[in-house]
Amino acid sequence: MLATGDETGLLKLVRISDDVVKSFGEQNREKAIVGFAPVTRSKFMLARKDGNVEYWELAYDETDGYDLKYLRSTEVGSSSSGVVGLYSSEKYDSSSSLVFNEEGALSIISHNHTSEVLKSTVKGPISAVSSCAGGGVAFGGRENDLTFFDSNTQQVIWNAKNVPYDKLRLRVPIWITAISFFNAEQTSLSGGCKLVTGTGHKQVRLYDTRTEPRPVKSFEIGEYRVTQIQALSDEQNIYVSDTVGNVYHYDLRNGRRLHALTSSDGAVRHMATYDDESTMVCVGLDRHARWHDINSQKHIKSVYLRNRLNACLPMRDDHAPAAAKKGTKRSRQDDSDGDERDEESVGGGSAGSDDLEDVDAFLGSENGDEDDSEQDGDSDEDDIEEEEDSEDDDEASEDEDELEDEDDEDNQSGTD
């Protein structure tokens, strides 16, 4: 199962075995979903652009299968750019979450029924945030270098230093756009930690807070700025995405590019791995959720979700019957044409049937059809923007019922 949030405010639940999609909420760009934070294995919190925070639960019924149940909501009092979970040693057992915005306003929200909100402020602007065990939070942005914030004391406890001047004796500009911890569940700021960052100036940097405030390694990745980074627990392998949809596999030991995964047709806005790090999912401007096998570096499948996606949350199917975990075989088909699909098959796969059977068995997906699956609409992927800087150009239309088709009028923007 996969939960996704898009820029029109819709929450969607994707059943991977047969690409059935259920949609929740009403379309409103002011209520765009900007991020997810897991609370337990079956519960999660989402943050919306307007500052509203909602709690949802994954429910299972023998007759209707999987569904999402709305629990409650609260307000943080300011606009939101994202959310991260705060936990002790297990990300699926968090007692609170931290909601942030670009200006540096932080809101720590307790997960109990009172939903107590603690306010704090740090230096902005903030472009990227990530969390680790013990309530540690790392953030950074344009001319705002990597900083560690302790959510327990609400104090900044560590600041990074910029790299030395370049060979022309010029200062190297700062612009952190992505942050990822190694072994976030076993890492705490008090004991030191390792993490990797990506920048808007096409650099990847490795930090170790136990050694020095400057990065211990830095290298450039290509022609376009970094949008997301996913670090694996082995502390050697990372996946880096850019503004034109490329997803590259790098070895941190030598900064060498090992593989290039099947690219998207627009910037990747979020990447996430499943628990055993054998499968990774990417979402972004091309309106697809794409699954990749990390071991074989192959593209497994993709599902078309009609709207540009901001965030995703992999969810485990604990209640799926054993028969459903065998998956459904599918023939190879091209998912890049954006043609209409029927009600119960919203996305097309691009891997062979054996690959799909293997990943469905791993993901524990449920088989079968659902009557209320989302119907697919027309898409025009030729005009998908390559840059996130122009993602709001299509807000001119007043009719929210047609929001799913507004993206066809977007202008392609250049890359950095």
Side-chain angles (χ1 to χ4, degrees):
M1 307 294 289
L2 180 74
T4 66
D6 62 46
E7 63 180 21
T8 69
L10 292 179
L11 170 65
K12 296 180 181 179
L13 180 67
V14 184
R15 191 172 66 193
I16 305 168
S17 62
D18 48 10
D19 304 342
V20 169
V21 178
K22 290 186 176 183
S23 182
F24 305 86
E26 297 179 355
Q27 291 181 308
N28 184 343
R29 290 190 181 276
E30 293 302 317
K31 295 183 176 295
I33 296 174
V34 296
F36 293 103
V39 178
T40 65
R41 283 285 180 183
S42 60
K43 295 180 182 179
F44 63 89
M45 187 183 79
L46 63 85
R48 296 188 180 273
K49 180 180 177 181
D50 63 355
N52 189 52
V53 173
E54 298 175 2
Y55 289 86
W56 292 75
E57 182 177 15
L58 179 65
Y60 178 79
D61 183 84
E62 293 290 344
T63 303
D64 299 330
Y66 283 97
D67 203 353
L68 288 179
K69 179 182 178 182
Y70 171 80
L71 299 178
R72 66 183 189 278
S73 65
T74 187
E75 294 281 346
V76 299
S78 60
S79 62
S80 302
S81 299
V83 59
V84 293
L86 303 176
Y87 46 89
S88 296
S89 60
E90 171 59 52
K91 69 178 181 179
Y92 296 105
D93 186 19
S94 62
S95 59
S96 58
S97 294
L98 182 144
V99 179
F100 63 92
N101 65 18
E102 294 181 358
E103 289 73 29
L106 307 180
S107 301
I108 302 174
I109 305 175
S110 175
H111 292 328
N112 57 34
H113 288 285
T114 62
S115 297
E116 180 184 1
V117 179
L118 299 177
K119 299 285 188 177
S120 186
T121 304
V122 294
K123 179 185 175 182
I126 296 177
S127 301
V129 176
S130 186
S131 63
C132 64
V137 179
F139 64 87
R142 191 190 289 266
E143 295 305 326
N144 185 16
D145 214 345
L146 183 65
T147 302
F148 285 108
F149 176 81
D150 189 339
S151 62
N152 299 308
T153 62
Q154 300 183 42
Q155 298 292 324
V156 172
I157 61 174
W158 188 89
N159 293 97
K161 289 185 178 181
N162 196 12
V163 296
Y165 287 4
D166 62 18
K167 61 180 68 175
L168 299 177
R169 303 300 299 166
L170 297 176
R171 175 184 176 276
V172 178
I174 298 170
W175 186 7
I176 294 179
T177 57
I179 303 173
S180 182
F181 282 92
F182 297 101
N183 295 302
E185 292 80 9
Q186 287 79 42
T187 298
S188 64
L189 298 183
S190 59
C193 58
K194 294 177 67 175
L195 75 163
V196 62
T197 67
T199 76
H201 302 292
K202 303 168 288 188
Q203 299 130 348
V204 171
R205 290 172 178 165
L206 174 66
Y207 290 86
D208 188 343
T209 62
R210 297 166 294 185
T211 58
E212 58 177 322
R214 282 196 169 102
V216 298
K217 184 171 295 186
S218 178
F219 58 90
E220 292 193 1
I221 65 154
E223 301 179 7
Y224 307 100
R225 68 180 176 90
V226 177
T227 59
Q228 290 291 310
I229 281 187
Q230 181 65 48
L232 302 188
S233 58
D234 60 9
E235 299 187 358
Q236 296 179 2
N237 296 282
I238 62 171
Y239 288 85
V240 183
S241 66
D242 60 27
T243 55
V244 295
N246 296 316
V247 181
Y248 296 125
H249 175 203
Y250 281 89
D251 188 336
L252 278 179
R253 292 171 294 183
N254 50 27
R256 180 178 169 219
R257 183 190 297 177
L258 301 180
H259 303 94
L261 302 185
T262 300
S263 62
S264 303
D265 294 324
V268 174
R269 285 179 169 173
H270 194 206
M271 297 192 297
T273 58
Y274 287 81
D275 288 348
D276 66 354
E277 295 187 340
S278 66
T279 305
M280 182 173 67
V281 59
C282 304
V283 299
L285 292 183
D286 74 341
R287 306 171 175 90
H288 284 80
R290 300 180 185 273
W291 285 265
H292 303 274
D293 188 321
I294 290 179
N295 297 320
S296 66
Q297 310 298 326
K298 291 183 179 180
H299 176 221
I300 299 169
K301 68 183 300 183
S302 62
V303 175
Y304 177 66
L305 296 173
R306 304 189 69 179
N307 300 306
R308 298 191 297 188
L309 304 170
N310 289 335
C312 64
L313 178 67
M315 307 190 74
R316 195 169 65 181
D317 305 353
D318 292 328
H319 298 284
K325 295 182 180 181
K326 295 181 179 180
T328 303
K329 290 189 177 181
R330 292 183 172 273
S331 59
R332 184 184 299 270
Q333 53 184 311
D334 184 5
D335 63 299
S336 62
D337 54 6
D339 291 340
E340 289 190 350
R341 296 163 176 84
D342 59 29
E343 181 181 24
E344 295 176 359
S345 181
V346 184
S350 61
S353 59
D354 292 337
D355 289 336
L356 292 178
E357 183 171 295
D358 292 342
V359 73
D360 287 338
F362 160 68
L363 296 173
S365 303
E366 182 190 7
N367 221 345
D369 297 333
E370 300 209 11
D371 294 336
D372 55 351
S373 61
E374 179 185 275
Q375 295 189 7
D376 187 15
D378 294 329
S379 68
D380 183 1
E381 296 178 42
D382 294 334
D383 292 331
I384 291 180
E385 298 176 347
E386 294 178 348
E387 289 280 348
E388 295 180 76
D389 298 334
S390 60
E391 64 189 49
D392 292 326
D393 290 344
D394 55 350
E395 294 185 1
S397 174
E398 297 293 332
D399 187 358
E400 292 181 358
D401 294 331
E402 299 296 327
L403 281 174
E404 295 167 328
D405 294 324
E406 286 179 359
D407 295 336
D408 299 335
E409 299 177 3
D410 291 345
N411 296 319
Q412 285 190 333
S413 62
T415 57
D416 288 351

